[in-house]
């Protein structure tokens, strides 16, 4: 009985010792001294030979790594670092989200935000939107009826617009201020004309788009119409530019009148024509 117990104890001890040895060792394939838990030395360094392959029972490939470092899922001959292309209509790749800043993931990373339905890529400094199911911000407005006076030698905000299209309610026509609902690139354009009056030579009118965050002006794009010869005629300016806005940043259209006297925008009530004053903002 004592010998029987000793034999059982020896078997248990052998199993414990063997398990500890296995846990402490590495496995090498085609290599004598593995330096990793699983160390595989392949047969070549081109795509003509394979380091690893997993196939279905019918022979169709599931996973393959070629000896030149290319990985294929369902693809016999991957030709890029990660190749999912095949003829069986199952080459979809799923993306997730992350809270990591772009400086951590570095340039070239991509993510999908399930809250906003937006796909973004990192340039190392910012997450830039690639694709989104949310409606693009698009504003169209004009001013054919509201009087706007621009005093001389003064910067005047162009307000009192009539909104023609703004599905996301991003534009305040009373103030003329557009607020970005999300981060992205926005192209903004406005055109205005003043009622024909006497214009001295050597004067000009300047249009500006001012991009602001909560505290500061972050970018200004200007356009100038200069008049070297004086006379009595209409004057005006068109200003257009593209801005990278953060969520909550604003765009404001302004005019700097250096025409020598106060000027009034052409509207239907003061001129037989209309359609001179227009504004648009488009999210890229």
């Amino acid at each position: 009985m004592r010998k029987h117990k000793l034999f059982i104890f020896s078997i248990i001890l052998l199993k414990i010792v063997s398990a500890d040895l296995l846990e402490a060792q590495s496995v090498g394939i085609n290599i004598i001294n593995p330096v990793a838990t699983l160390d595989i030395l392949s047969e070549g360094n081109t795509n003509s030979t394979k380091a690893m392959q997993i196939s279905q029972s019918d022979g169709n490939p599931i996973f393959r790594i070629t000896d030149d470092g290319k990985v294929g899922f369902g693809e016999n001959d991957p030709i890029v670092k990660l190749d999912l292309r095949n003829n069986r209509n199952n080459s979809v790749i799923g993306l997730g989200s992350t809270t990591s800043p772009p400086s951590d993931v570095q340039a070239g990373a991509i993510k999908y935000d399930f809250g906003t339905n937006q796909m973004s890529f990192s340039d190392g400094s910012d997450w830039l939107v690639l694709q989104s199911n949310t409606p693009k911000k698009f504003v169209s407005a004009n001013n054919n009826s509201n009087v706007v006076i621009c005093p001389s030698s003064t910067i005047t905000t162009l307000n009192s617009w009539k909104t023609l299209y703004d599905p996301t309610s991003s534009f305040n026509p009373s103030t003329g201020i557009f607020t970005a609902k999300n981060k992205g690139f926005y192209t903004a354009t406005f055109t205005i004309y003043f009622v024909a009056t006497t214009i001295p030579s050597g004067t000009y009118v300047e249009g500006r788009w001012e991009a602001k965050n909560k505290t500061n002006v972050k970018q200004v794009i200007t356009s100038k119409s200069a008049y070297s010869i004086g006379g009595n005629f209409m004057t005006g300016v068109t200003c257009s530019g593209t801005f990278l806005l953060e969520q909550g940043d604003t765009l404001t259209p302004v005019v700097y009148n250096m025409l020598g006297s106060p000027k009034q925008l052409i509207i239907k009530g003061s001129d037989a024509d209309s359609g001179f004053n227009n504004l648009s903002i488009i999210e890229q």
Side-chain angles (χ1 to χ4, degrees):
M1 183 68 177
R2 183 177 298 174
K3 290 183 179 180
H4 181 66
K5 291 182 177 179
L6 182 60
F7 176 72
I8 295 175
F9 176 76
S10 299
I11 292 176
I12 294 173
L13 182 62
L14 179 62
K15 287 185 176 180
I16 293 173
V17 173
S18 299
D20 288 341
L21 289 173
L22 286 173
E23 288 179 2
Q25 292 180 355
S26 299
V27 176
I29 299 177
N30 289 341
I31 187 170
I32 296 175
N33 298 311
V35 295
T37 303
L38 176 61
D39 197 343
I40 301 174
L41 180 64
S42 60
E43 298 178 354
N45 56 12
T46 68
N47 64 354
S48 61
T49 54
K50 300 178 287 292
M52 180 180 291
Q53 177 172 305
I54 302 174
S55 300
Q56 296 174 329
S57 59
D58 58 2
N60 286 320
I62 298 175
F63 175 77
R64 174 174 292 183
I65 302 177
T66 59
D67 283 343
D68 60 347
K70 296 181 175 66
V71 178
F73 286 89
E75 171 58 42
N76 276 317
D77 299 303
I79 59 175
V80 293
K81 283 295 183 182
L82 179 60
D83 203 336
L84 282 72
R85 295 167 290 189
N86 59 60
N87 296 322
R88 289 177 287 165
N89 196 30
N90 61 351
S91 302
V92 176
I93 184 171
L95 296 178
S97 188
T98 180
T99 57
S100 298
S103 57
D104 285 355
V105 300
Q106 300 186 6
I110 56 176
K111 70 172 184 175
Y112 182 81
D113 191 318
F114 294 95
T116 60
N117 297 324
Q118 292 178 333
M119 184 181 295
S120 305
F121 76 96
S122 167
D123 64 358
S125 300
D126 296 287
W127 284 110
L128 304 176
V129 175
L130 277 173
Q131 179 273 339
S132 174
N133 285 336
T134 57
K136 292 290 186 181
K137 284 55 178 185
F138 174 64
V139 172
S140 177
N142 65 19
N143 184 1
N144 292 328
S145 57
N146 297 317
V147 174
V148 176
I149 303 295
C150 298
S152 177
S153 304
T154 302
I155 296 175
T156 303
T157 299
L158 296 172
N159 51 29
S160 301
W161 297 91
K162 177 183 178 181
T163 300
L164 302 178
Y165 186 76
D166 181 18
T168 58
S169 300
S170 302
F171 182 66
N172 185 330
S174 298
T175 63
I177 297 175
F178 170 87
T179 302
K181 299 283 185 161
N182 54 266
K183 181 178 180 178
F185 287 97
Y186 297 81
T187 297
T189 302
F190 73 80
T191 298
I192 57 99
Y193 281 91
F194 295 127
V195 175
T197 56
T198 300
I199 305 298
S201 61
T203 58
Y204 67 91
V205 57
E206 182 177 278
R208 298 181 184 177
W209 278 107
E210 295 181 350
K212 303 177 182 178
N213 54 29
K214 293 181 179 180
T215 57
N216 300 305
V217 176
K218 57 186 292 185
Q219 184 181 357
V220 176
I221 290 180
T222 65
S223 179
K224 183 185 293 185
S225 295
Y227 304 95
S228 58
I229 300 175
N232 192 292
F233 48 80
M234 291 192 311
T235 53
V237 67
T238 295
C239 186
S240 182
T242 299
F243 304 82
L244 174 58
L245 302 180
E246 301 286 342
Q247 183 179 15
D249 286 354
T250 61
L251 284 175
T252 304
V254 301
V255 166
Y256 185 32
N257 173 17
M258 293 297 291
L259 297 172
S261 61
K263 302 301 176 187
Q264 177 181 316
L265 266 60
I266 295 177
I267 58 175
K268 199 169 184 177
S270 61
D271 192 274
D273 296 322
S274 61
F276 283 97
N277 309 307
N278 300 284
L279 176 149
S280 66
I281 302 171
I282 304 173
E283 181 185 12
Q284 301 301 308

